[in-house]
Amino acid sequence: MSSTDILMKPLVSVLQMLRNRVISTEELLHRTYTRINETKSLNAFVSVVEKNDNLEFCIKDDRSSILKGIPFAVKDNFSTRNISTTCASNMLRNYVPTYSATVVKKLTDAGGTLMGKTNLDEFAMGVGTVDSIIGPTRNPWQYDFQHPNPDDWYIAGGSSGGSAVAVATGASYFALGSDTGGSVRLPASFCGVVGLKPTYGSLSRHGLISLVNSMDVPGILARCVDDVVFIYNILSGNDPRDSTTVQGKVEKVVIEENPSVKDLVVGIPKQYHGPDVSPEIIDCWKWAADIFSNNGAKVVEVSLPHTQYSIVCYHVLCCGEVASNMARYDGLQYGHRSDGGFTEEMYAKSRNEGFNESVRGRITAGNYFLLRRNYRKYYEKAQKVRRLIQTDIKKVFDKGSGKNSGVDVLLAPVTVSTAPQYKTFAQKTNSYRTVEHDIYTQSANMAGVPAISVPVRLSQAKLPISLQLLASNFNEGTLLRAAKFLENASSFQHPKFDF
Amino acid sequence: MVPSLFMMQRCLFPGAIGCKPSFILVKRYNCSSQKNARLQDDRWIPTVGLEIHAQINSQSKLFSSAKNQFMAPPNSLVSNFDASIPGTLPVINKECVRKAVRTGLALNCKIQKTSFFDRKHYFYSDMPQGYQITQYKHPIAKNGYLHYPTADGSVVKRVKIEQIQLEQDSGKSMHEEGQVTLIDLNRAGVGLMEIVTAPEVSSAGDACAFLKELYGILMRIGTCDGKLAEGQFRVDANISIAQQKTKLGTRVEVKNISGFKHIHNVIEYEIKRQIRIVEEGGIVESETRAFDYETGFTVSMRDKEIKQDYRFMPEPNLPPLHVYDDSSVTSLSNPSSVINVDQERRNLPKLPADIRGHLIESFHLSFVEAEFLTNRNMENYFIEVMECAHNLNPTVVWNWIKMHVIAHMVEYNLSSIEECYVSARDLAALLLLLHNNEINAETAHLTFTTAIQTRQHPDKIVEENNWKMISDKETVTKLCEDAIATLQCTDAKALSGYDADKPKSKASKQAIKRVIMLVRKNTNDKIHTGVAKDVTMKLLNYKRTS
């Protein structure tokens, strides 16, 4: 690897180089393909777009476009026209969409080059990127590229683990993930990249294969906040194909090089001080609070009293929507289809073969929660709890309601620990892992508010520790400003991996 | 759009092997013992509630941009969303909302300013999502009612409309010979209005009268095309019997009936079947039955024997559906982009009941005559004819429309009276000629046919063809006198049989005929025979008595 690795440079400076013809798009693509090859053992990609297809595309491109052929990757649950979209599931192993998701189309229309589709937990159900038909994705941190040990490596986090690894290793300048309960922020934190979960409705879900419609949101992974801002500005806005997107115009986010936080009130949610959080993370959290405070921000402790119910509430709502969303996979129009038998038999067999145990489990649980006799007890109650959690967060951000409020951003951990080792992680069930790792990220999805994971420092084991910032709905401007400040303050270094 | 090839390969599949028709016969009630059953019927009070699925005649489907059209090649009107392609999302069609609002207003419902969509889950191969998007808890219109006249118009009854909900239609499964099921998704996702009545109808006749009135309203306000053979107006009937009015019996649901005659038969049949069961000491089972069009029986639907749990949940991909009124619309930046209920109310046309009332009151038509015109959107044509020629007898005009105008429309395959080749003004002119005895009925018919062919004004046709009759009394009298005189001279016997006391006798008629024949000959067939007949009779009477 050359000492100045162009693939690890910030997007904005590479665009400058392309503009000044310091490097050509073709050269950039060749290098990226080489990088994808070098990092193949990490299993970040489910499929890679043919090199010739992309070269043809970038030669046609006239460099006047916004993204000038910049390589990017997309989680394999976003529909891509003529490119297989598997959701890492046997069910969609051979499924090729006839259309592209709005966010993907916006990126290709802007001149981005889609390198490939990244790995995830089947249908984005998981926190590790380990439950996939192509096997788990490995975290590049502390990974021995020369002598890979089949068991001794760290997980990438999930479910957008493939996207996080592609960005962390320079196999893409940025990547799309989807965040339903933390699926962008968690792998971003484990892999030491920035992961933005925008406000629900600010990015179109059209073409994103649904997990939980009321919480899903396309997320952006990149190596620095500026790059996230750049892509966010391309992607945000109303989409007539998604009725839940924002009406009217979305303000473009502009962030200064060294933003001030003097005017900000930073909230520290006291309920996030869980006993399971590793001391290293608590320590990092405290450091960050001090940094904000030392730079003129007002740091206050706030209360989100319903946080403890968030996990179980999320579980019920998620399973209910999953059961419903997965009902379409019956093997008739598309997807895996078993032979023979009566119609119902064929459905059952196709679904049994098509979905992994974790997906089937959620479907069963969801259908149980939705039964007429259970609906009030579970689903309706969970909706009520969700409203309480929303209200908690809304109150905290509300400027006009006195004490314990008026916060601009919340500062919190992303998760309880740094990336766990695969061998320990694999011993736990999918649902237990979700409970453990999504605990601090879910609330943002329940409330719809934007949140971002920013890498801050390394742990003793030399693994990235990241922190999370949350802001009120459609307040990406403030959120990204605070994130940029934190990034500047922490001077986290992207490593030179020894490919 | 999904390329048709994709759908043909993947959807028009020879699969679902072994999928049998979902109907099995359980027990047939023999209709031949009708007499017996009628004797017992009086002791039972039937109660019927109706659910009408009226297809909205919008250009595109309820949540997708695919066209809504009948008789297109299979799977040619299927968007990605309709085929449940992963990642697609519903987008509400405003036109469907507008039409549901209009329907709600016409049925005196309270329009809900905010309504919601729900998912109703069940696996069925022609419902690709695995759920139907419907409005379960918070429909767009609630608490309405409809006054409807019974079949002969003698009594007006009232039925409560519980609610109107917007929902998706399903696709169609075709169970072919050889145990293959083919699926056509052209209909999948087309907008339906499900109109639910309270269980307040007490006979098959009333149910049909109500449905016909409802049907007429939907046609009139233009929210449903109502082509029965195409399944655009389908009815589910909930039928039960009880001995007291206050108590409802176990209800049986008969699904998916099209056509008023069929609906009548189904309800009649089902009431009798239930009475028979109870009279024989049995218990009516709560179940869903289907109507067998071939045998005229209702049969239990095997699929639904086990009570379905639809696992309703809110549709998360659709925000609440808002409609506005005059006061709330002003606060919007773009009021034309939303549905204003008050505006829709102002735009509602006159409804059939009002039109019938007007025809009966102003023109003294009978209920049946008024209904005939109203159902065919012909009241304005009729009224225009009457306005052009006040002297005309409304019943004569009505008869002409019924006999000649309709026949012409059928012959030329015209779907609306506006397309008729003879305008109301022209028909009025024609009927005036007839009324004034300037032409006779035969010539009138000939003139009408000529008008259709040449598109000329009746006056001109009659003029050019020299069809006008001599009907002026003085001239006719003169002509008849001349003829009688001639006959008396040449063939005295010809008139001798006339008997003034018996003007209708064979001999009298013969005498009159001889006179008329001569007048016709003398006038080159231009005499108005009706007038001539009267005059001749008077002249002959006079001659005898004098």
Side-chain angles (χ1 to χ4, degrees), chain A residues 79 95 98-99 205-209 213 240-244 320-321 324-325 327-329 332-334 337 341-343 347 351 367 370-372 375 379-380 383, chain B residues 6 10 13 15-19 80 83-91 119 121 123-125 128-131 137 183 185 308-309 311-314 316-317 319:
Chain A
S79 305
Y95 168 66
T98 57
Y99 76 106
R205 290 183 295 119
H206 170 71
L208 166 62
I209 297 179
N213 306 280
R241 292 167 189 275
D242 176 359
S243 311
T244 61
E321 285 201 36
S324 177
N325 289 333
R328 70 186 57 207
Y329 301 103
L332 286 188
Q333 276 92 355
Y334 47 81
R337 174 164 171 180
F342 289 91
T343 310
Y347 287 165
R351 289 167 67 79
N367 279 325
L370 289 175
L371 284 176
R372 192 183 291 122
Y375 186 82
Y379 203 79
E380 205 175 278
Q383 282 178 310
Chain B
F6 175 83
R10 291 199 154 86
F13 63 103
I17 296 156
C19 183
N80 281 334
S84 78
I85 299 296
T88 53
L89 300 168
V91 178
R119 290 181 179 181
H121 299 89
F123 279 110
Y124 207 77
S125 45
Q129 264 90 358
Y131 55 82
K137 280 189 179 157
I183 296 169
L185 294 180
Q308 286 270 349
D309 190 324
R311 290 161 285 131
F312 282 99
M313 65 168 247
N317 292 323

Side-chain angles (χ1 to χ4, degrees), chain B residues 366-528:
Chain B
S366 71
F367 173 80
V368 173
E369 289 165 349
E371 189 188 41
F372 181 91
L373 293 174
T374 311
N375 287 353
R376 287 166 181 77
N377 282 335
M378 285 182 170
E379 74 280 359
N380 286 335
Y381 187 85
F382 171 84
I383 292 168
E384 203 184 332
V385 173
M386 291 306 297
E387 278 168 355
C388 290
H390 299 284
N391 299 336
L392 296 179
N393 178 343
T395 306
V396 170
V397 175
W398 182 82
N399 263 315
W400 259 81
I401 291 176
K402 191 184 172 204
M403 301 300 295
H404 300 289
V405 176
I406 298 263
H408 152 61
M409 287 176 65
V410 170
E411 193 189 342
Y412 283 74
N413 205 8
L414 307 179
S415 56
S416 88
I417 188 72
E418 281 77 32
E419 297 167 27
C420 179
Y421 292 3
V422 180
S423 69
R425 197 170 283 272
D426 287 5
L427 183 63
L430 173 64
L431 294 181
L432 264 182
L433 289 172
L434 183 64
H435 178 78
N436 295 334
N437 283 330
E438 287 177 82
I439 55 173
N440 61 17
E442 203 183 323
T443 314
H445 187 205
L446 196 61
T447 310
F448 186 77
T449 340
T450 313
I452 287 166
Q453 281 154 7
T454 64
R455 310 282 192 107
Q456 279 180 317
H457 192 274
D459 284 345
K460 205 179 167 200
I461 293 167
V462 170
E463 188 77 49
E464 278 181 3
N465 290 290
N466 204 14
W467 283 344
K468 218 168 228 180
M469 303 244 137
I470 302 164
S471 59
D472 154 57
K473 251 206 182 134
E474 222 169 286
T475 320
V476 175
T477 310
K478 180 82 188 32
L479 285 165
C480 290
E481 274 172 356
D482 287 353
I484 290 167
T486 312
L487 278 173
Q488 272 168 343
C489 294
T490 57
D491 187 2
K493 269 188 206 162
L495 302 177
S496 60
Y498 189 83
D499 182 351
D501 296 328
K502 294 175 183 166
K504 297 232 164 139
S505 71
K506 208 175 170 187
S508 295
K509 276 187 178 168
Q510 187 60 33
I512 295 168
K513 200 176 166 192
R514 287 296 298 274
V515 177
I516 304 288
M517 274 168 66
L518 190 56
V519 177
R520 282 176 73 169
K521 197 180 150 199
N522 292 343
T523 59
N524 228 346
D525 232 356
K526 284 280 164 301
I527 190 76
H528 190 289

